[in-house]
Every structure is written in C-alpha cells, then in structure tokens.
C-alpha cells in the first residue's frame, strides 16, 4: 500500500520531467540552437557529471547558509510572533515593520549588509534570514490569534494563567499555521542564500551555488549554469520535503484530522 502511494506521488512528476527533457532534446536539436544560448538536457546532465565535485562543494556551502538562515528565522520568528500576539499595542506598533522588511527588495538591502558585516557567510545567512522570517511571523501570529474563543473561555473558567493558556492552548493551536509558514520560508531561505551569494560571497573554496552561476555566466558555460540551477532547485525540494515530513509527524499528534487527505 505504501509502495503504491509513493509511486502515485513520485511517478507523475518524474514521467513529465523525462517527457519534457526528451521534447527539449529533440526540439533544440532540430532547431540547431547554439549551446551557449540553450543547452540540450543531455549537455546539462553531462555537466552535472563532469563538474560534479565542484557543484557538490557549492551546494553544500549554500545548504549551510540556507539552513542557518532558516533556523534563525524560525527561532526569532516564533518568538516575535508570541510577543506580538501578547499585546495589542505592541502588535500595532511593531508588526508594520515586519511587513516593511518583506516589501523592500532584498537585492537593495544586500549591499548594505555587506557594508555592515563584510563579505562572507555571515552576510549570506543574514540575507537568507531577512527573506524567510516574515512568513513565519505572519503565519504563527495568525495561528496564535485565531484560538477558538470557546476554548479560551474554558481555560479562563478554570483560572488558567496566561502562560498556561499560551503553552497548552494557543501554541498547539498555532502549529498547523506555523508549519505552513515554515514551508514557505524553507524555499525563500534557499533563494535568499543564493541572492546573498550574488552580492556578498567571498569566493572561499569556490563559493556557493550562486557564485558558481555568476562565474559560469561570465565564462559562457550555459550548460554549467543550468546544472547549478538544477542543483539549487533540488535543494529547495529537499527543504520542502523535510518540512512536509516534520509537518506530518507533528500534526499526527496535535491535529490528527490535519493529516487526512
């Protein structure tokens, strides 16, 4: 049963990917498109093999930056959401700043971070954090504020303290929305790390995947660019799959109904 479910989940996208790759391979070959404009899928897969070691080093560095940025945004985002949900005045005073940071283009902030923190991993992590923190704050705050009024009255009837209500009612009730924000933030953390590498990488050990993309573009190695982009996409999918796994394991205990299809 589980094997059939896994096939139902993974087989359609794999077949569509194989079909699209075949169409592109034949179409680009018939059109005689130059490789520097659009490489064939076979050339991209060959680049993955030839530059495998270099791509692996780069993706590991990007993974480190994205993971650190996501971890920081998760911890600080949850704390910020709890603080904002505890006081109406505080929420009205400070929540607009969170929205403001989300609306400012990160590519405009990144050079300032270089001035403040210098080139290197710290700045890349900071960019990843800034990009990914808002979905966690917004979704967690929404979950904390949407507690069932009847349950709040029940806790008040039993004279539960504010801390008890927070720990035993509001936080468990906010878990599904927090996980939704975490899913969004996981992809944004990868994007933020790559954008940070575009601006602030110090090229140590060849740099991250974003640096590899920039260098490959300047060298007109388009097949290598596509291979690097494919690796970055796979990293985002791995992050998303891990968050989905955490979500299923968590919601199985907190909200069993949430795990049903």
């Amino acid at each position: 049963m589980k094997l059939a479910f896994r096939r139902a989940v993974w087989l359609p996208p794999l077949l569509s990917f194989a079909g699209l790759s075949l169409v592109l391979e034949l179409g680009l070959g018939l059109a005689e498109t130059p490789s520097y404009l659009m490489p064939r899928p076979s050339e991209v897969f060959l680049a993955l093999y030839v530059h495998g070691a270099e791509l692996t080093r780069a993706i590991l560095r990007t993974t480190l930056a994205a993971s650190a940025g996501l971890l920081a945004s998760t911890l600080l985002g949850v704390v910020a959401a709890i603080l904002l949900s505890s006081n109406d005045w505080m929420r009205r005073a400070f929540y607009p700043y969170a929205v403001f940071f989300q609306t400012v283009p990160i590519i405009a902030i990144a050079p300032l971070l270089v001035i403040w923190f210098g080139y290197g991993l710290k700045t890349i992590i900071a960019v990843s954090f800034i990009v990914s923190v808002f979905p966690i704050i917004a979704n967690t705050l929404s979950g904390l504020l949407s507690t069932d009024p009847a349950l709040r009255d029940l806790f008040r009837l039993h004279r539960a303290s504010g801390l008890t209500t927070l720990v035993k009612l509001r936080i468990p009730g906010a878990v599904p929305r927090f996980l939704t924000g975490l899913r969004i933030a996981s992809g944004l953390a990868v994007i933020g790390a790559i954008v940070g590498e575009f601006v602030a990488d110090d090229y140590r050990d060849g740099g991250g995947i974003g640096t590899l993309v920039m260098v490959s573009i300047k060298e007109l190695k388009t097949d290598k660019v596509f291979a690097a982009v494919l690796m970055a996409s796979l990293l985002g999918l791995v992050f998303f799959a891990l968050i989905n796994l955490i979500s299923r394991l968590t919601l199985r205990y907190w909200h069993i109904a949430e795990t049903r299809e």
Side-chain angles (χ1 to χ4, degrees), residues 190-202:
V190 176
I191 295 172
I194 293 173
V195 171
E197 289 166 352
F198 286 160
V199 178
D201 205 347
D202 56 6

Side-chain angles (χ1 to χ4, degrees), residues 61-62 65-66 106-107 109-111 113-114 118-129 131 188-203 208-211 214:
R61 183 174 171 84
T62 302
I106 190 61
I107 198 66
I109 299 177
L113 296 176
V114 173
Y119 290 94
L121 193 60
K122 291 187 299 183
T123 303
I124 298 170
I125 292 173
V127 174
S128 179
F129 163 76
V131 169
L188 292 176
V190 176
I191 295 172
I194 293 173
V195 171
E197 289 166 352
F198 286 160
V199 178
D201 205 347
D202 56 6
Y203 293 84
I209 206 75
T211 304
M214 287 196 306

Side-chain angles (χ1 to χ4, degrees), residues 2-253:
K2 289 184 178 180
L3 182 58
F5 175 76
R6 289 174 183 172
R7 286 179 179 173
V9 171
W10 293 107
L11 194 56
L14 286 177
L15 289 176
S16 63
F17 179 77
L20 180 60
S21 299
L22 181 59
V23 170
L24 286 174
E25 184 75 24
L26 296 176
L28 293 173
L30 292 173
E32 298 182 352
T33 305
S35 296
Y36 66 87
L37 288 180
M38 177 65 74
R40 301 178 187 179
S42 59
E43 294 172 326
V44 175
F45 296 141
L46 181 61
L48 283 170
Y49 174 76
V50 172
H51 305 287
E54 186 179 4
L55 288 166
T56 300
R57 286 195 301 269
I59 202 64
L60 288 176
R61 183 174 171 84
T62 302
T63 301
L64 175 61
S67 300
L70 181 61
L71 178 61
S73 65
T74 301
L75 296 176
L76 296 180
V78 169
V79 171
I82 291 174
L83 293 175
L84 292 174
S85 69
S86 63
N87 186 278
D88 290 341
W89 185 90
M90 184 180 295
R91 184 165 61 255
R92 289 194 297 268
F94 293 104
Y95 186 69
Y97 291 104
V99 178
F100 170 76
F101 277 112
Q102 180 66 16
T103 57
V104 175
I106 190 61
I107 198 66
I109 299 177
L112 293 175
L113 296 176
V114 173
I115 295 174
W116 296 333
F117 302 118
Y119 290 94
L121 193 60
K122 291 187 299 183
T123 303
I124 298 170
I125 292 173
V127 174
S128 179
F129 163 76
I130 292 173
V131 169
S132 60
V133 70
F134 179 76
I136 294 177
I137 294 177
N139 284 273
T140 306
L141 180 60
S142 176
L144 290 169
L145 295 177
S146 61
T147 306
D148 190 340
L151 293 176
R152 286 204 306 266
D153 292 340
L154 178 63
F155 271 66
R156 194 177 297 114
L157 179 65
H158 287 276
R159 297 182 180 179
S161 65
L163 181 60
T164 300
T165 302
L166 175 66
V167 173
K168 293 188 176 182
L169 176 63
R170 295 174 62 204
I171 289 180
V175 167
R177 297 198 183 187
F178 158 73
L179 290 171
T180 298
L182 191 59
R183 285 191 194 97
I184 300 170
S186 64
L188 292 176
V190 176
I191 295 172
I194 293 173
V195 171
E197 289 166 352
F198 286 160
V199 178
D201 205 347
D202 56 6
Y203 293 84
R204 182 175 299 175
D205 297 326
I209 206 75
T211 304
L212 187 61
V213 167
M214 287 196 306
V215 172
S216 300
I217 288 174
K218 291 177 182 178
E219 295 174 348
L220 289 180
K221 295 180 179 178
T222 315
D223 55 344
K224 194 174 177 182
V225 173
F226 273 81
V229 170
L230 182 60
M231 293 285 284
S233 300
L234 291 175
L235 176 60
L237 287 175
V238 168
F239 271 44
F240 188 81
L242 287 175
I243 301 304
N244 269 345
L245 177 61
I246 294 171
S247 178
R248 282 186 171 273
L249 294 176
T250 303
L251 295 178
R252 180 181 302 173
Y253 296 101

